[in-house]
Amino acid sequence: MTRYVYDFVEGNKDLKVLLGGKGANLAEMTRMGLPVPPGFTVTTEACREYLRTGSMPTGLFDEVEDHLRMVQNQIGKVFGDAKDPLLLSVRSGAQFSMPGMMETILDIGLGDASVAGLARQTGDERFAWDSYRRLIQMFGKTVFDVPGDAFEEELTAARSTAGVATDAELGTAQLLDLVYAYKKVFNEHTGRDFPQASHEQLFLAIGAVFRSWNADRAALYRRQERIPQDLGTAVNVMAMVFGNRGEDSGTGVAFTRDPATGRRGVYGDYLRNAQGEDVVAGIRNTMSLSELATIDPASHRQLLSVMQRLEQRYRDLCDVEFTIENGKLWMLQTRVGKRTPAAAFVIAAQLVDEGTITLDEALHRVTGGQLAQLMFPSFDTDAAPPPLATGVGASPGAAVGAIVFDSAAAEAATEPVILVRRETNPDDLPGMIAAQGVLTSRGGKTSHAAVVARGMGKTCVCGAEELDIDGDEVTVAGRILHAGDVISIDGTSGKIYPGAVAVRPSSVVRWFEGELTAHGDPLLSAVERLMIHADHRARLAVHANADTGADAARARRFGATGVGLCRTEHMFLGDRRVLIERLILGDDGALADLLPLQRADFEELFAAMDGMPMTVRLIDPPLHEFLPPLDELTARVARAEALGQDPGRDGTLLTAVRRMHEQNPMLGLRGVRLGLVIPGLFAMQVRAIAEAAAARVAAGGDPRPEIMVPLVGAVQELETVRAEAEKVLASVPGAPPIRIGTMIEVPRAALTAGQIAGAAEFFSFGTNDLTQMTWGFSRDDVEGAFFGTYLGLGIFAVSPFETIDSDGVGELVRIAVERGRAARPGLTVGVCGEHGGDPASVRFFHDAGLDYVSCSPFRVPIARLEAGRAASAADGSDSR
Ligand code: PEP
Ligand code: MG
């Protein structure tokens, strides 16, 4: 028969799956001989069984009774006894911490008879009645869903009748009246009396904790935190100890190191004559642990020694909750403590120095997500007002500035500005560069605004649909904001604040940039050390997506060992756009004008990436981005015609734009299709690459260009481009060997990768398009439109444009790697979609056997760290 209950002495810290985190840690402390009140844990398995069948598993009652007897023996009191009752706490505790999500009930076992016994035994009548009224309130709410307000109303009435401001000032007689009032509330809402039988209370409480696993807020929390929904919670039943028994009692929380900075030492707060909830509620000012040392040196000493032992046992920062009852210390909880990203790095390095963990283990004490948080300037959120709205946090950072509604205004501004647009297009680039941050009301994480901002390391919030942007004003949360009004945008949380919120710059970025040295700075030294080890471990190389020499140079400073994607269409913006316009209008001379410009572009890039692979992707513009919008052009032509004027070039353009107008430009004439339709365009780019490389060689450089063809779906497309490119390459003397490969970003390319590998020397997954085309989601539209609903429904836990959808898109990646390498052993395979810089996706690409990931320069360090983590976990060297 399955066993459902374990005494604390029977478990240990490694049994989290069965006993939950809290139960496993209570067991560990008990085994270590630390002062834990006696108790037992009802397993997660019992919870799952209860949730499945709707009733308590067979045998559970008897098991609980057996273990309860052991607790009674240890404490020397009897549960339900009228004269000297044993009271119990019942607390939830799942495998993964879900703070505040599920239920706790204290003081179980009190009733009309035992309340008097408790008063006599403790010599404290007020304490006894206060405990009783707390029990009815917590029990009513948790077990019978009595609305909390119903109790609160009675409490408020009691305070006003007594003429006092706080609950703590209510006297014994008033608490006694309150107990009667609460019982009435209980009866009115449940149709029954408050249960007096202590055992009935206990089992009802256990059932309520089981059910709280399925509470809406708990389910939502799990979806957000990606915790499986079917784990269930354990229930910890423990003898109550009381911190509210007078001045020699109290309760506190403490950390073995500072969880904010990682500094060594014990940090904590203590509240005299109080229970756990009072500390959290912040009703009274707490004292520091050093003050505890003066009022109760013995307990303080014992606490420090307990904490030291816990840290040695867990080999990590621990936090604890403790209670002192009449001068006796009790440990109520411990766990490996949460910490800030800075503390995570500092503590990991300290533990290596102290010989507690290995460098491999240290890599697993930090994450790419934490490093990302350290790399962006951040808001001092304590100083922030309530947000106006929340959009998609698309490119992290904290930006403050005056609102401008167009690119020209951003460029012209002399003060910091935030560019606010419904959405951006390549024309907005100068404004995006000039602005501190970009805010859009449409589009998701791979919208133009998001991708470009991320590439620039610029703060961006997009898809903030609550913003109604109309000309030169924006309406949000009932307020109208105008150009010049200052706002603050948080590219991590997506929050938009009114006014200027204080910002802290990132020292980690300044260190990567070479502006600071790590020496003497605990955080920078820790980051340096772990980055070196990650690079040493990593099997995946990390390249960058960079379109300019400056971006490429930054990527190198951040540790990239190549450029995996240069989006050449970004080279045709601003003044050069007209050249593409001419090309589209059939003006062959445009190509001749473009050639020297492109050659100069590539020379600059090859110089910046000297000695490293530099993958140049042939042009892949959604064509509409290079042409004036149809409605604008139509209006201009109509105006000219109405005035009897010749619309001139506008007229020719309008004909071309009408001819080329596409309903779905992202699924239209893009990538290789464009290269095959517009004669000479790709050939011009290939020539520019070859000539720039030849010039670099002549200048003594070591250029390593590679040519990448976008949006290929059929090997014939690639073969056609390849044949033309090879001819051009052969005609340029002095050029180094240049490999030709393809992006895999159309599902058909993944499926026919075996054929495509015949014409490709390398693959690079364009997971932005691959995700768009696999799901049939428009990458520009859906994130703002309905991803919120999808996330809420748990259809996915995170946007598939952010973290690779390993089951669907990932399967195509695996298929393409396998078929590609089968056809061409040694085929180089990388990824250059936005997922290349996402921590969870880097792990996936490592597992899928890719050679490199390529991401925006600012995410290069994050990818390096994750590549190291993936490799050190994969080879089994991590002993945790
Ligand atoms: C991709 O589709 O993943 C990719 C890198 O190309 P782009 O984002 O430029 O379409
Ligand atoms: Mg693409």
Side-chain angles (χ1 to χ4, degrees), residues 565 567 617 620 670 743 745 766-769 779 832-833:
L565 172 65
R567 290 179 164 105
R617 180 177 75 181
D620 175 22
R670 284 176 62 196
M743 297 196 63
E745 49 185 346
T767 45
N768 302 333
D769 274 308
R779 56 196 266 193
C832 63

Side-chain angles (χ1 to χ4, degrees), residues 561-572:
T561 53
V563 162
L565 172 65
C566 163
R567 290 179 164 105
T568 54
E569 62 275 13
H570 290 174
M571 297 168 169
F572 299 103

Side-chain angles (χ1 to χ4, degrees), residues 183-192:
K183 282 193 192 169
K184 215 160 135 246
V185 168
F186 187 94
N187 186 293
E188 277 163 13
H189 283 86
T190 64
R192 59 167 289 178

Side-chain angles (χ1 to χ4, degrees), residues 581-602:
E581 232 175 66
R582 277 173 50 201
L583 197 63
I584 292 168
L585 294 178
D587 172 355
D588 290 345
L591 284 175
D593 291 345
L594 278 167
L595 179 66
L597 300 173
Q598 282 271 268
R599 199 164 44 221
D601 294 335
F602 297 135

